[in-house]
Amino acid sequence: MRKNRKDSAIMKSKNVQLSALKESNAKNTYTKTRRKKQNGFCYKLVKYRVFLLMLLPALLYTLVFSYIPMGGVILAFKKYSYAGGIFNSPWNGLKNFEFFFKSGQALLVTKNTVLYNLLFIAFNTCLQITVAVLLTEVKNKHFKKISQSIMFLPYFISWVIVSVIAFNLLSFDYGVINSIIEKLGGEKINFYTTGTVWPIILTLFGAWKGVGYGSVMYLAAIMGIDTSIYEAASIDGANVFQRIFKITIPLMMPTVVILFLLAVGGIFKGNFDMFYNLVGNNGVLYNYTDVIDTLTFRALISNNDFGMSAAAGLYQSVLCFVTILLVNKLVSIYSKDYTLF
Amino acid sequence: MKLKIKAASYEIKKSSDAKLLSFLAYFINGVIALFCLIPFIMVVSASFSSEEAIKRFGFSLYPREFTLEAYTTVFKEPMVVLRAYGVTIVLTILGTLAGLFLQTMTAYVLSRKEFEWRNKFSFFFYFTTLFSGGLVPSYILMTRYLGLKDSYLALFLPLLFSVYNLLVMKSYIMGLPESLIDAAKIDGCGEFGTMVKVVIPLLKPAMATVGLFIALAYWNDWYNAMLYIGKESMHPLQYFLYKQVNNIEAYKRIIESQQVSSEAASAMSMPTQSLKMALTVVVTGPIILLYPFVQKYFVQGITIGAVKG
Amino acid sequence: MKKRVLSMIMIFVMLTVIFTGCGSGSKNKDKDTVSEVTEGGTRTYNGVDISKELTLKMYLLGDRSKDFDKVYTEINKILKEKLNTTVEIEFLSWSEHDTKYSLLFSSGEEFDLIFTASGWGHYEATAAMGGFYELSEDFIKTYAPDIWKVVPSAAWTQALIDGKVFMVPNYQNEFAVNVLAIRGDLMKKYGYDTIASWDDLIAYYGDITTGEAGITPLGTQGGGLLYPFLLHKGVDTIGGSPSELFIYNTLTPEDLSITYALDWEGFAEYCKAVKQMFDAGYWSADSLATTEERQDGLLNGTAASMVWNLGSCKLYAEQANREHPDWEVTIVDIASDISKGVNPYINNGVAINAVSNHKERAMMVLNEFYTNPAIYDLASLGIEGTHWEAVSDDQYKLLDANSDYGVDNNCNWGWTNADIRRKQYIENPTALDNKAQELQDTWSKDIKADHIYDGFTFDNSKVSSEIAAVGTVITQYYTPLMCGMAGDVDKAINELRTQLDNAGIQNIYDEIQKQAAAFVESKK
């Protein structure tokens, strides 16, 4: 975070006081713990006791609800049976992963998943930041509130219903879009057999559904910006666009980067609900619309095999894990403060 | 003279920039809002249309063959719907308060630069979003070891803590000027005191945002109800919607199997389109009304001068 | 917590029952039951000790109808008196059963009985993972002697998985025939008295396409003709095998070959035929993406026919005629020259949970549901005098309150028993009723000879990876072919063949043949 150097005089004096305070504290603790190692574990436990106490509820929660069930990943290597349960079912080697690579689609769906996610991340981030920045520029209070509320509406429409709306728009026989094309004397498009248009359709629907929800994040980040910086900028003669690009967006960066990293952490996981409901069982489109999650779903629909679904999940998790470690490392080179961990 | 002219032209330039920006702001947001509104209007008008009209004409912007039939079906047993509303509302309020407190407190600790282990702990939390044991172990944990089948806790606990919100919250706190926290330290506040007295008041927009997300998660949750709640009287509202809307999916799959007996096939009553839409409206309505309350906190940005040292 | 309290109460009740020498001294109204209280204070039924009062838990699929609990209170009264047992029913709604069915078994939840069905009702998958209790012949005979009398041996054979039975199949002879509900007014218009063969149907479809604007023969239900086609060719699919990829000649019992569909000449013939029909506009280009149900097109006037089983076709034909009497929708069988077989009995059934603590009592209770007419009528029709009234011994008439319970609407299909099932009394049969009855009668007169594979169900747990891999291929390469929407037929078939080969279809084929041979061997 670029430090804002426009602190008031009071602040500066505080800082001086504070550093003095810190030094004296350090001296005190040093004399107290000369015999102990300064950076010993126990020493730190005591030093951070308040922090640790504040973390305790979340730590316990995460242990119980996330780490204990995580043992279930071993199902990926087991032939699950009800009697044996998770721990006593027989080992199965890598057999559970077989179906995925046998399907002949492993590479394609993995590629699709990543490309779609990159497309969604890029498009949604740009759109949501634009909306958030522009909303703050709207002076009319009512317009601001109402348009913001309206943008939230699609979030509440479940994908099942969105698929019905989509069908009403895209249907060949009586779809709204094709009716318009016909009226204008054009050639009707058969959306449901033309795979190439689907990346656009899916992106638009995804963006439409997430715009209200996503822009709130950025809006909150903008609201957290110290207004005195703007005042200083306008005194220095910056125009409104400079103000946006030189101040607002750079100061939103921590939020943007965190959201970006969070999205990257799921880069190998497809939004099943969306793909399944909009594309459904329309096999003609699969080369363009099949993602890992929909493929797994189809594979296991006939026998709900926990081992295989765990295997597919593990495949995704490992890839996500490697990716996020890399990206997080790259971000940390740029700035330590922006990283996820 | 020269100076004056310069200043004047600068004024004009600035204002034309401002005008352009203002026009863009209204125009772009207006268009996007319109796109978001139209489908919702379709849903609302479909909920007031007769089923035949929907089948014949598809969706439209106004109700065709106006009827309240779908709503009378939804509220056929008003007590059931009202109780589901009650469950959902109470759950959302309690869950949001508890979740917000827990997540803010955790995020505050993880954002403190002097806490050396903060990245290790961040990773500890973040790791859970990457790897999960899947449905079976969680289900066994919840039902067999925690005994939460048919308990409201089964709806309350799973959503209490979200790593996603935690990290977003952390990024907002990181965005606060450090000098503020340092100042509080000088005034003799402890960590907890600093969080409550200094950080939280400055975090209103962020708290509102994250609070909204937690509330939405609780409001929209049908999944945990599906897994853990068998008693109809304990079902939250969203689960009614889910059951109706997704019946058709299950139905299609069963019919595809060709092995289904005619009794089973005919017993699967399909919700009409208008009923699905009406349920959507009923489920969505109240939470939309909540949004303006949240917007209240998106007012001015903070100013450091406002904080008394 | 609640469980603990419950179990405390149960223990308390048990103790009191034991100490007081069983309080329920009610006289059984049934004359032919063999329930007795011996001197020692134990109660027996058919020689089985039932002095312990039990509440069993049963899972059914679907949603609880409004009067369900009322009806089951009545059922419990009878069960309490007869077997000292009550049942508690939980529902897995349609929208969740796919997820929850297997979770119930994974979590080791204590319940006793559960509805199951071959394929969609998770029978094979659950049995393969050891979720169900094996029902030995002795066990069935001891605790459910009446069921043993009713259920035909073919049904038990169908239920075999790896040589063991895990469900009690239902008993009814429902014909496995896909018929068509067809617009009678259009038949008249184009001069068809009857449509009784595949060729008639295609000709009729052709006339509709050329003559009627705004009506397509099949609406958005492309692919619906596959089953009528298979029937017309006299082949059937092997139970438990993926989609329709493995078939046998169901009409010739001596033919024991199992054919891979892509090697069968009928396959390409069908694909080419439907390709032509699709190109000619027999169904909508939206078929693969439609959000419509089978009957929608017929009901809203955009389709001239619908394909389904007799019961459902009749139901929707009636509805269409109610709304548009001038349509004169009727039902046709386009394979009228072919004898029909009945559906597998394992299409509905009930199983016992492997970890149930009361397997014997569960079986006894199931025996009552299956064969006790009073309980059977309650579960299937509701309360007499409220939901229905009896007409003679074997028919019923519906009363107004019937909509609060429905007919065969509460997942009572697992114990369907044709011997004691009541038929609906129809006062003034319509042309449609007569037609449906006529078809039923025709089929019943000429039931096809049993083929040994009719009772064979493939256990696919040995090749689960291949089955899963094939599952990913089906929707993408097979379904579009079945609707004529895969473009060039020969190319599409080759593509499908390659994809299936990669997915390991050969292993599945080998396994099917191995199991089929073993099955034939065991039946000798």
Side-chain angles (χ1 to χ4, degrees):
Chain A
M1 171 92 213
R2 285 193 320 170
K3 280 299 290 281
N4 156 33
R5 286 268 139 251
K6 294 213 171 283
D7 284 359
S8 58
I10 297 173
M11 271 306 184
K12 281 186 180 141
S13 68
K14 286 252 186 220
N15 275 342
V16 175
Q17 278 181 40
L18 185 85
S19 48
L21 193 82
K22 272 186 180 162
E23 264 170 50
S24 69
N25 267 350
K27 270 187 192 148
N28 283 344
T29 46
Y30 177 69
T31 48
K32 264 185 214 158
T33 56
R34 236 181 323 191
R35 286 179 209 90
K36 263 194 215 162
K37 262 201 259 166
Q38 269 278 349
N39 39 12
F41 181 71
C42 296
Y43 166 78
K44 283 194 177 152
L45 268 189
V46 176
K47 182 178 167 192
Y48 294 141
R49 65 190 180 278
V50 180
F51 285 137
L52 292 172
L53 204 65
M54 285 166 85
L55 274 184
L56 194 62
L59 287 180
L60 284 178
Y61 181 98
T62 311
L63 267 178
V64 171
F65 287 101
S66 300
Y67 279 96
I68 290 177
M70 217 182 269
V73 293
I74 61 168
L75 276 180
F77 307 100
K78 293 202 159 201
K79 177 120 192 80
Y80 183 78
S81 79
Y82 294 127
I86 296 174
F87 296 109
N88 299 329
S89 295
W91 292 97
N92 200 7
L94 294 175
K95 209 164 161 22
N96 289 334
F97 292 84
E98 247 177 40
F99 85 92
F100 187 61
F101 296 99
K102 261 196 178 147
S103 69
Q105 311 285 319
L107 195 66
L108 176 83
V109 294
T110 307
K111 189 187 80 186
N112 278 351
T113 311
V114 174
L115 288 179
Y116 266 114
N117 276 327
L118 287 173
L119 185 63
F120 294 163
I121 293 170
F123 191 81
N124 288 340
T125 307
C126 292
L127 180 75
Q128 287 160 12
I129 290 179
T130 309
V131 167
V133 169
L134 290 180
L135 264 178
T136 49
E137 297 297 332
V138 169
K139 296 290 176 283
N140 182 324
K141 230 184 190 163
H142 293 291
F143 181 87
K144 196 172 178 166
K145 278 197 168 180
I146 290 169
S147 64
Q148 221 187 321
S149 299
I150 286 173
M151 282 183 210
F152 233 105
L153 289 174
Y155 173 80
F156 293 100
I157 305 177
S158 70
W159 279 115
V160 180
I161 290 173
V162 174
S163 76
V164 178
I165 295 173
F167 187 69
N168 267 282
L169 286 174
L170 306 171
S171 150
F172 186 73
D173 291 335
Y174 58 88
V176 176
I177 295 177
N178 276 324
S179 310
I180 294 170
I181 291 177
E182 237 180 344
K183 280 207 180 90
L184 298 175
E187 187 70 30
K188 283 212 284 187
I189 305 167
N190 195 341
F191 290 103
Y192 286 105
T193 53
T194 317
T196 39
V197 296
W198 279 84
I200 301 166
I201 294 174
L202 289 163
T203 307
L204 287 178
F205 271 108
W208 168 80
K209 204 162 184 296
V211 66
Y213 188 92
S215 52
V216 169
M217 296 255 195
Y218 299 113
L219 213 55
I222 295 173
M223 290 302 156
I225 295 173
D226 180 358
T227 46
S228 59
I229 304 177
Y230 288 131
E231 283 154 28
S234 63
I235 290 166
D236 291 349
N239 72 22
V240 283
F241 289 100
Q242 284 171 322
R243 201 179 68 207
I244 288 171
F245 288 105
K246 294 271 167 12
I247 300 172
T248 310
I249 292 185
L251 287 179
M252 283 167 74
M253 269 303 154
T255 306
V256 176
V257 173
I258 284 273
L259 290 175
F260 170 75
L261 284 173
L262 284 170
V264 168
I267 194 121
F268 286 91
K269 293 174 182 168
N271 180 347
F272 173 79
D273 260 354
M274 169 178 173
F275 284 92
Y276 183 71
N277 283 304
L278 285 179
V279 179
N281 294 329
N282 191 348
V284 177
L285 305 176
Y286 282 170
N287 280 333
Y288 295 91
T289 60
D290 212 9
V291 291
I292 300 174
D293 304 68
T294 44
L295 179 96
T296 309
F297 176 80
R298 284 206 311 283
L300 306 180
I301 191 93
S302 56
N303 54 346
N304 200 349
D305 191 304
F306 294 126
M308 290 188 202
S309 55
L314 189 62
Y315 168 81
Q316 289 175 299
S317 296
V318 169
L319 288 177
C320 285
F321 186 49
V322 172
T323 314
I324 196 71
L325 283 182
L326 277 172
V327 177
N328 197 57
K329 194 88 207 138
L330 287 176
V331 171
S332 79
I333 293 168
Y334 175 67
S335 157
K336 269 265 178 276
D337 290 350
Y338 285 8
T339 52
L340 267 181
F341 42 81
Chain B
M1 272 310 271
K2 266 187 185 175
L3 254 177
K4 258 189 185 170
I5 291 165
K6 246 191 184 168
S9 67
Y10 176 69
E11 279 293 302
I12 290 163
K13 199 176 115 199
K14 203 174 105 180
S15 69
S16 71
D17 271 340
K19 267 184 190 150
L20 176 65
L21 183 70
S22 170
F23 167 75
L24 278 178
Y26 280 97
F27 180 74
I28 293 180
N29 281 318
V31 169
I32 293 175
L34 198 65
F35 269 105
C36 292
L37 185 63
I38 289 171
F40 200 80
I41 290 181
M42 284 179 172
V43 168
V44 174
S45 38
S47 71
F48 287 109
S49 301
S50 75
E51 194 58 19
E52 289 72 39
I54 296 176
K55 286 206 159 133
R56 213 166 320 134
F57 308 114
F59 287 10
S60 58
L61 292 173
Y62 54 92
R64 295 183 192 235
E65 299 180 15
F66 184 92
T67 168
L68 288 172
E69 205 178 331
Y71 288 92
T72 48
T73 313
V74 173
F75 289 103
K76 197 166 57 188
E77 290 178 45
M79 274 325 289
V80 175
V81 181
L82 288 178
R83 187 157 46 194
Y85 259 130
V87 170
T88 300
I89 289 170
V90 171
L91 196 70
T92 304
I93 292 171
L94 293 178
T96 307
L97 291 175
L100 197 54
F101 176 73
L102 182 65
Q103 287 167 34
T104 310
M105 185 165 76
T106 313
Y108 171 77
V109 175
L110 295 183
S111 68
R112 299 286 287 116
K113 289 216 170 74
E114 62 193 65
F115 182 41
E116 265 174 72
W117 297 340
R118 70 177 193 281
N119 277 355
K120 288 196 182 70
F121 276 113
S122 295
F123 182 76
F124 173 88
F125 289 123
Y126 178 70
F127 188 75
T128 60
T129 62
L130 291 171
F131 289 87
S132 80
L135 191 52
V136 181
S138 316
Y139 186 83
I140 293 175
L141 174 82
M142 291 285 284
T143 54
R144 212 192 299 176
Y145 294 102
L146 301 175
L148 292 181
K149 202 169 184 301
D150 278 352
S151 147
Y152 285 123
L153 277 176
L155 300 176
F156 177 78
L157 286 173
L159 299 173
L160 195 57
F161 186 76
S162 127
V163 175
Y164 187 82
N165 288 341
L166 170 78
L167 294 171
V168 170
M169 197 69 165
K170 180 182 136 185
S171 85
Y172 288 139
I173 301 179
M174 297 283 249
L176 290 178
E178 253 171 284
S179 45
L180 288 171
I181 294 174
D182 292 340
K185 282 277 158 29
I186 292 170
D187 293 345
C189 283
E191 291 294 345
F192 195 81
T194 308
M195 180 183 88
V196 174
K197 291 205 187 86
V198 180
V199 175
I200 289 184
L202 290 177
L203 272 183
K204 274 198 179 132
M207 298 273 282
T209 305
V210 172
L212 175 73
F213 289 166
I214 301 172
L216 287 178
Y218 274 105
W219 188 271
N220 284 336
D221 176 47
W222 49 264
Y223 192 66
N224 291 303
M226 175 197 97
L227 289 178
Y228 305 116
I229 308 292
K231 287 201 179 72
E232 280 89 347
S233 63
M234 293 171 69
H235 283 161
L237 191 63
Q238 191 67 241
Y239 186 57
F240 280 98
L241 173 69
Y242 162 81
K243 270 212 291 203
Q244 292 284 356
V245 168
N246 284 48
N247 261 355
I248 189 147
E249 211 25 69
Y251 176 74
K252 274 195 182 141
R253 244 176 277 147
I254 287 178
I255 298 305
E256 265 169 28
S257 79
Q258 283 288 344
Q259 293 161 298
V260 68
S261 65
S262 54
E263 297 92 6
S266 56
M268 299 195 63
S269 58
M270 284 303 99
T272 55
Q273 291 288 21
S274 52
L275 177 66
K276 283 194 275 190
M277 302 304 159
L279 271 164
T280 304
V281 174
V282 167
V283 170
T284 309
I287 193 88
I288 296 244
L289 298 179
L290 171 122
Y291 195 51
F293 289 104
V294 175
Q295 284 175 319
K296 190 160 83 191
Y297 296 103
F298 293 140
V299 275
Q300 278 299 305
I302 48 161
T303 46
I304 289 174
V307 182
K308 299 281 179 292
Chain C
M1 286 275 52
K2 273 189 187 157
K3 263 196 195 151
R4 217 172 273 172
V5 173
L6 261 178
S7 57
M8 292 289 285
I9 292 172
M10 293 273 289
I11 290 168
F12 180 75
V13 168
M14 269 167 41
L15 287 173
T16 44
V17 166
I18 289 168
F19 280 112
T20 54
C22 183
S24 123
S26 58
K27 293 277 181 292
N28 274 320
K29 292 181 198 74
D30 266 299
K31 284 201 179 73
D32 52 356
T33 55
V34 213
S35 169
E36 48 194 31
V37 181
T38 61
E39 303 248 322
T42 50
R43 248 180 88 180
T44 58
Y45 180 82
N46 281 350
V48 184
D49 181 359
I50 52 161
S51 22
K52 198 168 158 189
E53 184 184 4
L54 292 177
T55 298
L56 302 182
K57 196 166 174 188
M58 171 152 71
Y59 271 98
L60 297 177
L61 300 188
D63 298 304
R64 201 179 288 264
S65 55
K66 198 170 156 221
D67 282 355
F68 186 86
D69 291 342
K70 267 189 216 161
V71 172
Y72 270 70
T73 308
E74 296 301 313
I75 291 178
N76 276 333
K77 278 182 196 160
I78 305 175
L79 286 174
K80 179 85 187 69
E81 197 166 293
K82 215 169 169 179
L83 297 176
N84 201 16
T85 313
T86 49
V87 288
E88 193 183 279
I89 309 286
E90 288 229 18
F91 274 97
L92 294 180
S93 79
W94 293 118
S95 51
E96 69 195 15
H97 76 98
D98 268 338
T99 314
K100 279 191 82 172
Y101 202 94
S102 43
L103 284 177
L104 288 179
F105 290 96
S106 316
S107 66
E109 189 183 321
E110 284 176 30
F111 64 92
D112 306 286
L113 292 156
I114 189 162
F115 173 87
T116 184
S118 172
W120 68 272
H122 320 282
Y123 175 59
E124 290 82 2
T126 312
M129 289 204 266
F132 296 140
Y133 176 66
E134 185 202 339
L135 307 176
S136 66
E137 191 171 322
D138 274 352
F139 181 83
I140 303 169
K141 281 179 175 161
T142 311
Y143 300 106
D146 306 318
I147 287 181
W148 187 254
K149 282 175 210 150
V150 172
V151 177
S153 68
W156 298 116
T157 306
Q158 286 167 3
L160 286 176
I161 291 199
D162 225 1
K164 301 183 183 120
V165 171
F166 295 97
M167 75 142 92
V168 174
N170 85 136
Y171 166 57
Q172 61 170 325
N173 291 319
E174 192 186 13
F175 285 94
V177 185
N178 268 301
V179 292
L180 291 103
I182 282 195
R183 286 273 294 267
D185 57 340
L186 296 176
M187 277 171 68
K188 270 195 198 127
K189 185 172 170 183
Y190 295 105
Y192 293 86
D193 302 334
T194 167
I195 290 176
S197 73
W198 175 262
D199 300 330
D200 289 353
L201 181 75
I202 305 305
Y204 165 77
Y205 277 3
D207 290 337
I208 299 280
T209 321
T210 48
E212 296 294 319
I215 301 183
T216 48
L218 262 177
T220 54
Q221 301 300 311
L225 292 177
L226 175 61
Y227 273 83
F229 180 81
L230 293 177
L231 182 74
H232 144 80
K233 287 282 182 192
V235 299
D236 201 354
T237 58
I238 293 281
S241 68
S243 298
E244 294 82 29
L245 291 174
F246 295 98
I247 50 178
Y248 64 99
N249 277 321
T250 182
L251 297 179
T252 36
E254 54 279 5
D255 181 358
L256 291 181
S257 64
I258 293 174
T259 313
Y260 174 39
L262 273 66
D263 296 338
W264 172 53
E265 71 280 358
F267 188 78
E269 184 191 330
Y270 173 82
C271 293
K272 290 196 169 98
V274 289
K275 170 83 168 75
Q276 275 176 358
M277 292 185 218
F278 171 66
D279 291 342
Y282 284 25
W283 50 82
S284 153
D286 292 329
S287 284
L288 286 171
T290 184
T291 49
E292 282 192 345
E293 293 161 49
R294 290 181 184 218
Q295 69 277 10
D296 284 356
L298 181 77
L299 292 179
N300 66 21
T302 55
S305 68
M306 67 175 274
V307 184
W308 214 344
N309 60 44
L310 181 64
S312 308
C313 277
K314 182 169 176 246
L315 185 79
Y316 293 116
E318 274 168 2
Q319 190 185 332
N321 287 343
R322 257 201 314 277
E323 290 162 7
H324 308 272
D326 53 315
W327 285 0
E328 299 170 34
V329 178
T330 182
I331 295 177
V332 299
D333 168 17
I334 60 152
S336 49
D337 54 338
I338 288 180
S339 9
K340 309 292 191 300
V342 293
N343 262 330
Y345 298 101
I346 53 173
N347 277 1
N348 290 311
V350 182
I352 294 179
N353 184 1
V355 299
S356 157
N357 294 322
H358 315 295
K359 301 182 179 88
E360 297 77 14
R361 192 73 65 89
M363 198 67 190
M364 292 163 84
V365 165
L366 186 56
N367 190 53
E368 293 304 309
F369 272 106
Y370 211 120
T371 58
N372 180 333
I375 294 184
Y376 190 92
D377 284 342
L378 277 164
S380 127
L381 302 166
I383 298 165
E384 191 176 358
T386 308
H387 302 110
W388 59 284
E389 60 181 25
V391 179
S392 73
D393 282 347
D394 57 354
Q395 291 189 310
Y396 68 88
K397 207 160 82 182
L398 292 179
L399 298 174
D400 288 348
N402 141 279
S403 56
D404 293 335
Y405 191 72
V407 175
D408 288 337
N409 212 0
N410 294 278
C411 196
N412 52 318
W413 324 304
W415 54 84
T416 307
N417 177 354
D419 290 351
I420 56 171
R421 186 185 193 173
R422 288 173 183 269
K423 286 198 178 59
Q424 186 168 7
Y425 168 71
I426 302 173
E427 223 163 339
N428 309 310
T430 58
L432 186 67
D433 289 324
N434 292 335
K435 178 77 192 178
Q437 195 55 49
E438 178 199 329
L439 286 175
Q440 278 276 24
D441 296 341
T442 323
W443 298 338
S444 309
K445 280 196 202 92
D446 175 32
I447 293 186
K448 83 176 184 66
D450 272 336
H451 189 294
I452 192 158
Y453 292 154
D454 294 348
F456 168 62
T457 309
F458 171 53
D459 168 17
N460 64 28
S461 57
K462 305 257 188 321
V463 284
S464 52
S465 323
E466 286 85 353
I467 290 281
V470 165
T472 63
V473 172
I474 292 293
T475 330
Q476 186 165 359
Y477 298 98
Y478 175 80
T479 315
L481 256 176
M482 296 299 107
C483 311
M485 294 171 73
D488 180 60
V489 171
D490 292 322
K491 217 172 88 190
I493 293 182
N494 281 334
E495 179 69 8
L496 172 67
R497 189 185 288 276
T498 316
Q499 293 290 346
L500 285 171
D501 285 343
N502 294 342
I505 197 81
Q506 190 60 44
N507 293 358
I508 298 176
Y509 193 16
D510 294 344
E511 182 64 28
I512 288 182
Q513 291 190 301
K514 198 176 94 192
Q515 285 184 23
F519 179 78
V520 171
E521 200 53 42
S522 71
K523 289 286 149 223
K524 274 183 182 159

